[in-house]
Amino acid sequence: MLDIIQIPVLTDNYIYLLHDTVSGETAAVDPALAEPVLRVLNQHGWQLTYILNTHHHSDHVGGNLELKHQTGCQIIGAKADKHRIPAIDRSVQDGEIINIGKHTAKVITTAGHTSGHIVYYFADDNALFCGDTLFVMGCGRLFEGSATELWQSLQTLKALPADTRVYCAHEYSENNARFALSVEPDNLALQQKMRQIQERRANNLPTVPSTIDEELATNPFFREDSPALQNNLNCENSAPVEVFAKLRRLKDNF
Ligand code: ZN
Ligand code: FE
């Protein structure tokens, strides 16, 4: 089994620890900080084998150097980000496979938020670690890519099996739900999800992970083909990628 532990850090970041109970191998996904990771490793008696970085932003790689220094772990990141992922050991490209014990993940490149962004898809474990590309009911801002690039990246994630769990790197769901309702107020699944999220946040519980299925029903950035949404944005005759670009612009100013 692959154990997944979610560590909330900073204002709204999540670090994930993945542990294979058979081999004992353990990976940290996007360690913003070293100390919380070391603490959880210690609690469980685990040794850190790998760091998996999705992109170069400091709230995703901030713990790299200290963790490598303390544990000797191997750092994996995108080939395109080789020059800006601190202490990277192995650079990977689209379609490459990485292992944690016998668990395998496929690397998928998802440019848009940054040019070198990658995600890690564990097909047999139904788990996607998607950094800042896809959020619960949202998507990353366009810092280094075009709307077309991010839209294409999201098309790949949209096509993953419906029960895939979406482990994104930020707790942005409440604000994202508010925006989603502003562009699709009559979406019943979305109304229901908003209530669920408010309840969980009121009790200080995470709203991550969701599933691809839930995102298809509620995430406006997965729903650019919804007639109701297009109607509300006055773009019934626009190409899907244009609807997406408009949504991204609206969200930037929300
Ligand atoms: Zn980022
Ligand atoms: Fe981030």
Side-chain angles (χ1 to χ4, degrees), residues 26-253:
T26 305
V29 181
D30 283 350
L33 302 169
E35 191 277 328
V37 173
L38 292 168
R39 187 164 17 93
V40 176
L41 287 168
N42 211 23
Q43 278 165 8
H44 290 81
W46 296 346
Q47 301 272 5
L48 192 64
T49 325
Y50 307 107
I51 287 174
L52 309 180
N53 288 133
T54 62
H55 66 297
H56 73 284
H57 285 158
S58 61
D59 62 318
H60 299 255
V61 303
N64 275 23
L65 294 180
E66 181 65 14
L67 285 171
K68 189 171 178 176
H69 177 72
Q70 298 273 346
T71 68
C73 66
Q74 187 190 34
I75 300 179
I76 301 173
K79 189 163 191 190
D81 274 347
K82 215 177 159 181
H83 59 292
R84 53 184 185 175
I85 301 266
I88 188 169
D89 295 294
R90 179 178 167 200
S91 60
V92 292
Q93 306 185 68
D94 193 59
E96 251 179 87
I97 301 293
I98 62 125
N99 293 284
I100 302 171
K102 282 189 175 147
H103 299 268
T104 59
K106 190 170 89 171
V107 172
I108 305 171
T109 55
T110 56
H113 175 67
T114 65
S115 56
H117 202 297
I118 56 175
V119 301
Y120 298 91
Y121 172 52
F122 290 78
D124 295 338
D125 298 284
N126 286 325
L128 172 72
F129 296 89
C130 51
D132 290 357
T133 292
L134 172 66
F135 294 124
V136 174
M137 286 171 291
C139 69
R141 275 175 193 265
L142 299 170
F143 284 123
E144 297 174 3
S146 65
T148 306
E149 279 176 303
L150 184 55
W151 179 76
Q152 275 166 349
S153 299
L154 290 174
Q155 297 315 296
T156 311
L157 303 187
K158 235 173 144 169
L160 294 176
D163 61 349
T164 305
R165 292 171 292 168
V166 176
Y167 289 94
C168 55
H170 289 274
E171 178 63 59
Y172 287 160
S173 311
E174 200 167 349
N175 186 50
N176 285 347
R178 233 175 268 127
F179 173 72
L181 278 170
S182 78
V183 291
E184 217 182 3
D186 297 328
N187 180 336
L188 292 176
L190 188 52
Q191 293 170 5
Q192 197 184 4
K193 179 102 179 184
M194 177 56 130
R195 285 193 292 273
Q196 196 191 93
I197 276 168
Q198 284 174 326
E199 199 178 301
R200 289 189 71 82
R201 292 314 291 154
N203 292 303
N204 224 344
L205 294 169
T207 67
V208 180
S210 67
T211 60
I212 291 291
D213 210 21
E214 288 174 61
E215 294 312 308
L216 289 169
T218 59
N219 189 331
F221 298 96
F222 265 14
R223 295 177 56 74
E224 72 280 8
D225 49 4
S226 147
L229 187 143
Q230 289 178 3
N231 189 37
N232 291 334
L233 296 182
N234 292 318
C235 44
E236 295 93 332
N237 300 313
S238 307
V241 64
E242 285 163 29
V243 181
F244 175 81
K246 184 163 187 180
L247 278 168
R248 191 54 266 178
R249 281 197 303 276
L250 288 168
K251 178 66 170 60
D252 287 343
N253 299 305

Side-chain angles (χ1 to χ4, degrees), residues 4-8 14-17 40 167-168 171 206-209:
I4 302 175
I5 292 186
Q6 185 174 35
I7 313 174
Y14 288 123
I15 302 172
Y16 298 100
L17 273 194
V40 176
Y167 289 94
C168 55
E171 178 63 59
T207 67
V208 180

